[in-house]
Amino acid sequence: MVAVVAATLSIWAVASSARTPAQRAAEAAPPPPSELTAVVEEGPLSDAFALDGKLSRRSRSSIHGPTVSAGRSIVTDLPVKRGSRVKNRQLVAVVSGRPLIALEGRFASYRDLRLGDEGPDVRQLRLALGLSSDDVYDRATAASVARLYEKVGYPAPAETTAGAAEPAPSVPAPTPSGSATPARTKPATAVRGGLVPMNEVVFLPALPATVVEVTAAIGDKGDQPLLTVAAGGWQVAATVGEDQRAELRDLPPDASMTVSGGPAEGKKVTLSGIKAAKSTEQEETSYVATFAIDVGSEEGLTEGTPMTVRVVRQESPAEAVVVPVSALWTKPGGQTEVRIRSADGVATVPVTVLFAVDGRAAVTGPAEMTAGVRVAVGSRNGGSN
């Protein structure tokens, strides 16, 4: 009985595996092609890229403490802190018991200024003091300097002027020897405010400014960087490579740029400059692109806040829809079409391609070319356009 069952099973296995040549060919053939479709999307389509950067002021200045001619240079007071506003004619530090006063000017002091001095540095001092643009250190300049030192709470340096000779009498009085009376000399006088030591003022290009970093503390050496201030408008600084630099350089005139992140969300920016970054060990040259932000209020803006600049080369209009590039079929005459698939079958409609980016195209076409319809993009096992 067992032998009979085994033989029966063996015969069934052989029969079930047997196939005619036609059956084997049918089984080996690929499945019939099936059409692939994609959904038409609403716009807009943007040809854009993003750059990561940080918020900063356009002007940054480091305030360096002075050396002193006698004794040691030591920080004895720092009346400002991070976030403080520094105005023209304001005390920013005290080094070895003497003030360091911020003044607005385009270049640094290069000498002590005294009563009677002349030059562009005197003109700069006078303008910072609110005086006219004369370039002579006169008595009016000295009086203004004295008021400045009084305001910050320190005695003003004085300059001693040599005595001037008094004129001799028109009718000389006789002397026992018969000679005329000699002219008398007035005693030398000290003019308060007649001296501005170069190590007691620091000229900054833009005031008011904000203290963004304090690098010294009371008791530290005074002849080193004490603090950093920033002024001017706000900007986003982003590090870019050679390719991104080229993209920024070749932007079309109607390109738009906005920022995201922080209180400046959505604000428009303009490219204000691209310069080479400081050399690094990297082989590829890097650049710093700066974008000026047009903000009406500075509330909430903080140096160093991460921000992203979105650069849009072009964007599709409201009437355009978006399709995969593989949905576009080009006829020999150059006309571009898409094939709309619906329950009623396939309809071929002409479209105008505005631009394509990252495998997607912005197109316009007839009324039936709307978001939500399905378009043919090729066929499974049957190829594509």
Side-chain angles (χ1 to χ4, degrees):
M1 181 65 179
V2 174
V4 172
V5 172
T8 303
L9 290 174
S10 177
I11 294 171
W12 176 85
V14 172
S16 62
S17 62
R19 293 288 188 274
T20 66
Q23 289 175 321
R24 291 194 184 104
E27 291 174 353
S34 59
E35 192 171 50
L36 300 178
T37 61
V39 178
V40 175
E41 302 174 13
E42 290 184 352
L45 177 65
S46 298
D47 180 7
F49 60 95
L51 301 171
D52 293 328
K54 289 186 177 181
L55 186 65
S56 65
R57 291 282 195 173
R58 295 181 193 174
S59 171
R60 292 175 71 92
S61 302
S62 177
I63 296 178
H64 198 286
T67 57
V68 294
S69 57
R72 298 176 61 193
S73 179
I74 299 295
V75 178
T76 51
D77 193 14
L78 278 173
V80 297
K81 60 182 180 180
R82 190 175 186 273
S84 297
R85 293 282 282 173
V86 175
K87 299 178 181 179
N88 188 35
R89 304 193 287 274
Q90 180 177 332
L91 179 70
V92 292
V94 181
V95 178
S96 299
R98 292 299 297 170
L100 184 60
I101 305 170
L103 297 175
E104 187 168 7
R106 298 177 61 184
F107 54 87
S109 298
Y110 53 84
R111 61 171 174 165
D112 295 342
L113 292 177
R114 291 179 168 83
L115 193 65
D117 283 345
E118 300 181 17
D121 51 347
V122 176
R123 180 184 298 110
Q124 177 173 258
L125 172 65
R126 285 177 55 86
L127 290 173
L129 295 173
L131 302 175
S132 66
S133 59
D134 293 343
D135 62 356
V136 178
Y137 197 135
D138 55 11
R139 294 275 179 160
T141 309
S144 187
V145 169
R147 289 192 294 270
L148 171 65
Y149 273 83
E150 182 179 356
K151 174 188 173 185
V152 300
Y154 287 83
E159 174 70 356
T160 301
T161 60
E166 292 183 343
S170 56
V171 180
T175 64
S177 61
S179 61
T181 303
R184 292 176 297 177
T185 301
K186 291 182 179 180
T189 58
V191 179
R192 196 167 67 92
L195 169 66
V196 177
M198 62 178 293
N199 60 1
E200 293 188 3
V201 293
V202 55
F203 284 95
L204 300 172
L207 289 174
T210 301
V211 178
V212 295
E213 186 179 17
V214 177
T215 53
I218 295 175
D220 288 350
K221 290 183 178 181
D223 53 350
Q224 64 176 346
L226 306 179
L227 50 102
T228 301
V229 297
W234 290 97
Q235 65 180 17
V236 176
T239 301
V240 300
E242 187 62 53
D243 291 344
Q244 292 170 320
R245 172 176 174 264
E247 287 182 306
L248 290 171
R249 185 187 57 208
D250 298 334
L251 286 176
D254 57 347
S256 66
M257 291 173 278
T258 55
V259 291
S260 60
E265 178 75 34
K267 294 291 185 181
K268 291 184 177 181
V269 299
T270 55
L271 179 63
S272 55
I274 305 175
K275 61 181 181 180
K278 293 182 179 179
S279 59
T280 64
E281 296 181 357
Q282 299 178 354
E283 294 183 2
E284 183 180 356
T285 303
S286 61
Y287 302 85
V288 176
T290 52
F291 302 85
I293 307 177
D294 182 16
V295 290
S297 171
E298 297 185 2
E299 184 177 354
L301 299 181
T302 305
E303 282 252 340
T305 301
M307 287 194 164
T308 299
V309 177
R310 185 170 184 265
V311 182
V312 181
R313 298 186 190 88
Q314 56 184 332
E315 192 167 73
S316 60
E319 66 271 16
V321 291
V322 181
V323 300
V325 171
S326 56
L328 303 175
W329 305 73
T330 303
K331 297 177 66 176
Q335 173 65 54
T336 302
E337 300 174 335
V338 298
R339 299 172 184 175
I340 299 177
R341 166 65 69 179
S342 67
D344 298 330
V346 177
T348 300
V349 297
V351 294
T352 299
V353 180
L354 304 180
F355 65 90
V357 59
D358 295 333
R360 303 166 74 215
V363 301
T364 57
E368 58 266 34
M369 192 62 189
T370 60
V373 302
R374 303 194 72 88
V375 291
V377 295
S379 58
R380 186 178 291 111
N381 296 324
S384 59
N385 322 4

